[in-house]
Amino acid sequence: MLVGLSDLGHAYLGVLNFWSLLFGLGGALIGVIVGCMPGLSATLCIALLTTLTIKLPTNDAILILICSYVGTLYGGSRTAILLNIPGTAANAASCADGHALALRGEAGRAIGIATSGAFTSTLFGVVCLAAFTPALAEVALSFGAYEFFWLALFGVVMSGSIVGDDPVKGWLMGCLGLFVAQIGQDSLFAYDRFTFGIPQLAGGIALIPALVGAFGFSEVLITLADPIERKIVEMRDSVLPRFREVIQYWPTVLRSGVIGVLTGLMPGVGEDAGAWMSYAAAKAVSKEKELFGKGSIDGLMAAETGDMASIPGHIIPCLALGIPGSAPSAVLMSAMIIHGIQPGPMLMINHPQFVYDVVAMTTLAMISILIFGLFLVKPLLAVMRVKRTILMPIIFLLCTVGAFAGASRLFDVYCMLAVGIGAFFLRRRGYQMAPFVLGLVLGGLLDKSLRRGLVLSDGSLLPFFTRPICIGFASVTIITMMLYIPPVKSLIKSVTGAMGRKLRASATL
Amino acid sequence: MSSPDSPAADPAAAPHQTEIGRRSDFVAALGWIALGGAILFGSWKMDRLESQDVNPYTVPGLLPGLLGIAMMLLGGWLFLRSWRRGGHESSTGEPHLSRPKISIRQLSLAIGLCMTFDIVLIGHGLPFWLAAATFVSVAILTLQHSQRKATGQRLTLRALISAVAIGLSAGLAVTVVFQQIFLVRLP
């Protein structure tokens, strides 16, 4: 405990120097700017910055990435409020109430609420990050191949179920991501799988070019193909953060903070789930339900608090288990691996200080968004006014550089193009990219764990279902999938309906 | 749990999440089944490394084969669902109503410009800053020209100069920041 506190103190002292502050503020500023641009996601921002910071020392690079992660989600609320387009997927829940407030001439107030909610919830998340990551990593030390197999599968299944409107399409995308991760030399025997004699494919499809294609190039195409250019709402009132309203709505802030962190802990669920669940919970207990969607302060506060609290929540499993909680945290995890830090149960043994460094970095990110929320309102509005015909070619230029820079191969640029065009058409047909990304990141772990597990058990599947932690993960994974099978769904409905009727009948007697 | 998040979360999918074209799902399901089948076939035919005395439970095609089966099953599920909803009928008239409108002209233009930049302009000896400046300037001019044409406006000299200036600034800024400051190699 005392060692942990001492490490935490060292971590905070470590970021209190000119360069760290500059990198942190710079990363957060880039994040906020990217977040302000409709459609450009935190995943793209972190992927591009990973290539930019590839030559920097590990801690400086990760600091920039974490600050940009937090900044992007915060910046996305501006677009949601002023344009009614979520800057990132996580800000979708803020659109209805935030934009309604803006249309009433209270855009500044809405931005102020978003700033104060974001600051408070990130603070709550940081406390959870510091408290739970070492504990979870200790538990994870008892995990073997069987547990990691289920954990990886659980992440992809949950992501497919929750992200988007159609679980079947989500799971298909998860399978596609897992399959793409199998392309190239396998990890046990270096055997070329699905390379079709193309030597560049032996190394597999690199994660960063695939992500830049899926989230960057496809977004460029979506934006340019949209015939309508959205108009920004004018802002007349003050944007000063409303901490008075945080105190007034403290139950919402606390509830949404807890929900955000808990959803963050679930692998593959994404920040938007935190925002929507917090929003739904706030609506369920609110006395002013009718105001939700029409400019409710409670609703906006819940949505913004939920998505921002889920960021530290997502970093917890990423560090402790090596299983990312969302697409942006998957890129963050890849960046850590590129810089020689292997997230997972061994992290607390190999790099114990790093966990606390991440806590300090997230704190710096939180302070940065408060500073930008206060002082950079007008310049950020100017960013949102830039025409898409100017912005998108520049974004594509960055996508090309981002795809190339990792391994200095033109092949990666071609992969980015192929993935981007494929992602554009898939997204238009209702397929989400997050399960694909999770599949791509977890494919290697799933393959290794399955084969190692089978060797250890001499081909028996029993240990996959009988070990205590496996039972939990396997049950949740299988039940989650079963719940969407129509006959099972109607059976559950009829059983729960009958139970409800019996309970009501006994209550009336 | 499949939440209301996506409609707003993904602008590409926004208005058509619940009423996605049944015909499109029907065709896609066939594609998924074919892909799953091809993966399963490829995994089955994959070398099992018996000559190296490899444990049969660790053959390289194990997980890809299982994924192929999963894709076929999920594709079959999608197929049955879209069949029940009438996706096999040749004209349901829904896809066009439910999917957000896109400008095919703008889309083709964007894909063409981006592919020209990545395949033709870079990696063939042209300095990156020049290739980038050319791409950004031409892309801005072409995309704006396409929009102006739709509204009956003409391209002005001012717009031309500003596009070239933006292109040059972007090309030089990206080159300086990535190559000179952060020491990242450029194509």
Side-chain angles (χ1 to χ4, degrees):
Chain A
M1 180 73 180
L2 284 176
V3 177
L5 283 175
S6 153
D7 287 345
L8 190 60
H10 275 118
Y12 278 113
L13 286 175
V15 294
L16 288 178
N17 62 70
F18 174 76
W19 285 110
S20 295
L21 292 174
L22 184 73
F23 285 141
L25 286 169
L29 179 61
I30 293 171
V32 175
I33 292 171
V34 171
C36 281
M37 297 173 188
L40 298 188
S41 60
T43 314
L44 175 70
C45 181
I46 304 172
L48 290 177
L49 284 176
T50 299
T51 55
L52 184 70
T53 56
I54 215 154
K55 297 276 169 69
L56 286 182
T58 305
N59 273 27
D60 290 340
I62 302 298
L63 171 66
I64 293 176
L65 300 184
I66 288 178
C67 288
S68 68
Y69 184 5
V70 175
T72 316
L73 289 203
Y74 168 67
S77 64
R78 305 283 168 115
T79 332
I81 292 164
L82 297 172
L83 285 172
N84 199 21
I85 308 172
T88 68
N91 306 105
S94 311
C95 275
D97 291 306
H99 193 64
L101 280 168
L103 290 176
R104 282 202 320 235
E106 293 180 81
R109 187 183 182 201
I111 289 175
I113 291 164
T115 307
S116 49
F119 179 82
T120 319
S121 57
T122 316
L123 178 67
F124 178 77
V126 165
V127 174
C128 296
L129 179 66
F132 298 139
T133 310
L136 188 62
E138 211 168 301
V139 174
L141 277 174
S142 62
F143 284 17
Y146 310 107
E147 284 81 9
F148 276 111
F149 168 80
W150 280 115
L151 204 55
L153 196 61
F154 174 75
V156 177
V157 169
M158 289 307 282
S159 178
S161 313
I162 290 173
V163 179
D165 208 31
D166 188 343
V168 180
K169 290 181 179 175
W171 297 330
L172 275 165
M173 289 305 286
C175 284
L176 186 67
L178 288 170
F179 168 69
V180 173
Q182 309 308 312
I183 296 173
Q185 289 187 343
D186 89 295
S187 54
L188 294 186
F189 307 111
Y191 180 81
D192 281 353
R193 295 190 289 199
F194 302 101
T195 55
F196 307 105
I198 303 167
Q200 289 97 329
L201 271 180
I205 306 282
L207 183 69
I208 301 287
L211 289 178
V212 170
F215 289 93
F217 183 34
S218 72
E219 194 58 52
V220 168
L221 295 179
I222 286 161
T223 309
L224 288 177
D226 186 356
I228 305 155
E229 190 138 22
R230 303 283 181 112
K231 292 244 161 32
I232 189 168
V233 174
E234 288 303 320
M235 197 177 64
R236 296 182 194 92
D237 57 338
S238 164
V239 295
L240 281 177
R242 271 54 173 183
F243 286 105
R244 198 166 48 85
E245 278 162 342
V246 171
I247 296 163
Q248 189 186 342
Y249 290 99
W250 72 266
T252 303
V253 173
L254 187 64
R255 187 191 326 107
S256 307
V258 172
I259 293 173
V261 172
L262 288 177
T263 51
L265 284 171
M266 289 163 75
V269 170
E271 293 83 7
D272 43 346
W276 280 112
M277 284 184 195
S278 307
Y279 188 80
K283 192 177 178 181
V285 298
S286 173
K287 288 173 189 159
E288 301 165 330
K289 286 188 183 66
E290 67 286 352
L291 286 179
F292 275 69
K294 294 168 191 159
S296 162
I297 306 293
D298 206 2
L300 180 63
M301 187 72 87
E304 278 305 308
T305 315
D307 74 353
M308 295 304 287
S310 70
I311 300 176
H314 286 309
I315 299 176
I316 297 172
C318 173
L319 290 175
L321 304 173
I323 305 277
S326 61
S329 62
V331 195
L332 187 64
M333 195 177 99
S334 308
M336 288 175 191
I337 296 168
I338 290 170
H339 284 281
I341 303 275
Q342 179 64 53
M346 293 302 285
L347 184 68
M348 280 307 287
I349 292 165
N350 295 335
H351 306 279
Q353 181 61 41
F354 185 72
V355 173
Y356 299 104
D357 289 343
V358 170
V359 174
M361 291 169 193
T362 318
T363 312
L364 181 57
M366 177 187 85
I367 295 164
S368 306
I369 58 166
L370 185 64
I371 293 170
F372 295 130
L374 280 172
F375 299 111
L376 272 185
V377 177
K378 292 274 151 66
L380 289 174
L381 291 181
V383 171
M384 290 161 69
R385 289 200 178 93
V386 177
K387 281 186 178 170
R388 59 187 174 169
T389 47
I390 295 173
L391 198 60
M392 288 303 135
I394 298 172
I395 298 292
F396 180 73
L397 182 64
L398 293 174
C399 288
T400 302
V401 174
F404 179 84
S408 301
R409 294 193 307 177
L410 273 177
F411 178 75
D412 288 336
V413 175
Y414 305 145
C415 282
M416 181 272 290
L417 281 179
V419 172
I421 293 172
F424 169 78
F425 288 106
L426 283 166
R427 286 175 69 180
R428 273 192 54 78
R429 278 157 185 78
Y431 293 89
Q432 298 289 325
M433 286 298 120
F436 172 77
V437 172
L438 259 290
L440 202 57
V441 173
L442 297 175
L445 179 70
L446 190 75
D447 182 43
K448 227 184 314 182
S449 307
L450 173 68
R451 294 199 280 166
R452 274 188 190 160
L454 284 172
V455 169
L456 290 171
S457 67
D458 199 23
S460 167
L461 288 174
L462 268 183
F464 284 94
F465 296 95
T466 50
R467 286 164 65 103
I469 297 169
C470 289
I471 295 173
F473 280 126
S475 318
V476 177
T477 309
I478 295 166
I479 291 170
T480 304
M481 292 195 79
M482 298 276 283
L483 282 176
Y484 292 100
I485 299 173
V488 179
K489 210 166 150 183
S490 51
L491 181 75
I492 290 169
K493 262 188 189 170
S494 62
V495 170
T496 50
M499 282 168 68
R501 277 193 298 277
K502 271 189 183 172
L503 281 173
R504 275 196 297 274
S506 60
T508 48
L509 285 171
Chain B
M1 195 62 191
S2 282
S3 62
D5 52 350
S6 300
D10 191 344
H16 64 107
Q17 284 290 325
T18 51
E19 288 296 320
I20 191 81
R22 290 163 200 176
R23 179 83 187 153
S24 132
D25 273 3
F26 182 76
V27 176
L30 293 174
W32 284 111
I33 294 170
L35 178 66
I39 294 170
L40 181 62
F41 180 74
S43 310
W44 184 259
K45 299 292 279 179
M46 207 176 273
D47 194 345
R48 286 164 207 177
L49 309 174
E50 282 149 335
S51 57
Q52 294 176 35
D53 207 18
V54 157
N55 186 320
Y57 303 117
T58 60
V59 292
L62 180 67
L63 185 67
L66 291 174
L67 289 172
I69 295 170
M71 270 188 204
M72 287 170 75
L73 289 174
L74 291 167
W77 185 345
L78 195 63
F79 178 84
L80 281 177
R81 200 179 66 184
S82 56
W83 178 280
R84 278 191 196 144
R85 292 175 186 174
H88 58 291
E89 287 158 18
S90 57
S91 173
T92 60
E94 261 182 45
H96 300 292
L97 290 174
S98 55
R99 197 168 294 156
K101 279 185 183 169
I102 59 162
S103 163
I104 300 291
R105 190 186 151 79
Q106 287 277 103
L107 175 66
S108 323
L109 200 60
I111 293 179
L113 283 165
C114 294
M115 288 187 79
T116 308
F117 174 61
D118 278 354
I119 297 169
V120 181
L121 280 181
I122 60 166
H124 301 290
L126 196 65
F128 184 78
W129 68 267
L130 185 58
T134 311
F135 164 71
V136 174
S137 307
V138 172
I140 292 172
L141 282 172
T142 321
L143 293 166
Q144 286 189 348
H145 174 68
S146 170
Q147 280 186 349
R148 279 166 197 266
K149 212 174 156 187
T151 52
Q153 287 176 299
R154 295 182 69 183
L155 197 64
T156 58
L157 182 67
R158 197 180 155 194
L160 182 77
I161 294 168
S162 110
V164 173
I166 293 168
L168 272 173
S169 318
L172 288 171
V174 167
T175 308
V176 169
V177 170
F178 277 81
Q179 202 157 271
Q180 308 299 326
I181 300 177
F182 286 93
L183 309 173
V184 174
R185 271 195 68 188
L186 292 175

